[in-house]
Amino acid sequence: MIDGLDGFKVDSKEFKEKRPLYIANIDGETKYIVPMTGAGLWGGIWGYVALNEDCETVFGTYFSHESETAGLGARITEEWFQTSFNGKKLYADGDTKTIALSVVKKGKEGTLSEANYVNGVTGATLTSNGVNEMIQKSLANYQDILDTYKK
């Protein structure tokens, strides 16, 4: 905690204006990496989503946690979960204003296209919901920045 602020609850204009966006060159292609923080079932969760040059297609993700349940919510750190985002799209067809990339419980996809969602971790609904909320809020907070980089 710094100056009485909890890092997972800071929501001031000053903080939002200081949004780091990491830019990497991988095999001659530019990738944009957005840091994310959120809340799981038992504590903080965090991660990164790397986007291709189009700023709409997921190149890769990384997630970690403070204290999620082993074998359940802690599975967000496993490769199978993280790579399930590869190639997914941020937006639904024809809508570049609303983040559609989501983590949903199997069978609860609703109107989402398969291009926009991954299945949540079985038995870890609250952690999966936390990852979904983290992705939605973090990417929405970066939309204006990503729009300036779109190819």
Side-chain angles (χ1 to χ4, degrees), residues 41 68-78 80 121-124 127-128:
L41 174 60
E68 296 307 293
T69 306
L72 294 172
R75 297 188 74 196
I76 66 171
T77 65
E78 294 178 8
W80 69 267
V121 177
T122 302
T127 303
S128 296

Side-chain angles (χ1 to χ4, degrees), residues 18-27 29-37 46-63 82 90 135 138-139 141-143 145-147 149:
K18 296 178 182 178
R19 299 169 287 173
L21 177 69
Y22 302 100
I23 302 172
N25 184 305
I26 299 174
D27 297 329
E29 295 181 14
T30 303
K31 308 296 179 191
Y32 300 97
I33 304 157
V34 176
M36 304 178 291
T37 60
W46 56 89
Y48 299 90
V49 62
L51 302 170
N52 289 327
E53 278 186 298
D54 65 1
C55 293
E56 294 184 11
T57 307
V58 176
F59 174 71
T61 59
Y62 170 82
F63 303 107
Q82 295 182 20
L90 258 57
I135 289 169
S138 297
L139 291 174
N141 191 38
Y142 275 82
Q143 270 185 296
I145 295 172
L146 293 171
D147 284 347
Y149 287 102

Side-chain angles (χ1 to χ4, degrees), residues 37-125:
T37 60
L41 174 60
W42 300 112
I45 57 175
W46 56 89
Y48 299 90
V49 62
L51 302 170
N52 289 327
E53 278 186 298
D54 65 1
C55 293
E56 294 184 11
T57 307
V58 176
F59 174 71
T61 59
Y62 170 82
F63 303 107
S64 195
H65 64 93
E66 180 181 357
S67 56
E68 296 307 293
T69 306
L72 294 172
R75 297 188 74 196
I76 66 171
T77 65
E78 294 178 8
E79 184 177 358
W80 69 267
F81 181 71
Q82 295 182 20
T83 59
S84 66
F85 288 86
N86 297 358
K88 298 294 181 178
K89 301 291 185 177
L90 258 57
Y91 305 106
D93 287 339
D95 177 6
T96 58
K97 300 292 181 202
T98 307
I99 301 295
L101 183 64
S102 301
V103 178
V104 296
K105 188 174 182 178
K106 189 170 181 149
K108 301 290 183 183
E109 300 89 4
T111 61
L112 287 173
S113 162
E114 193 172 321
N116 300 116
Y117 74 87
V118 300
N119 289 320
V121 177
T122 302
T125 302

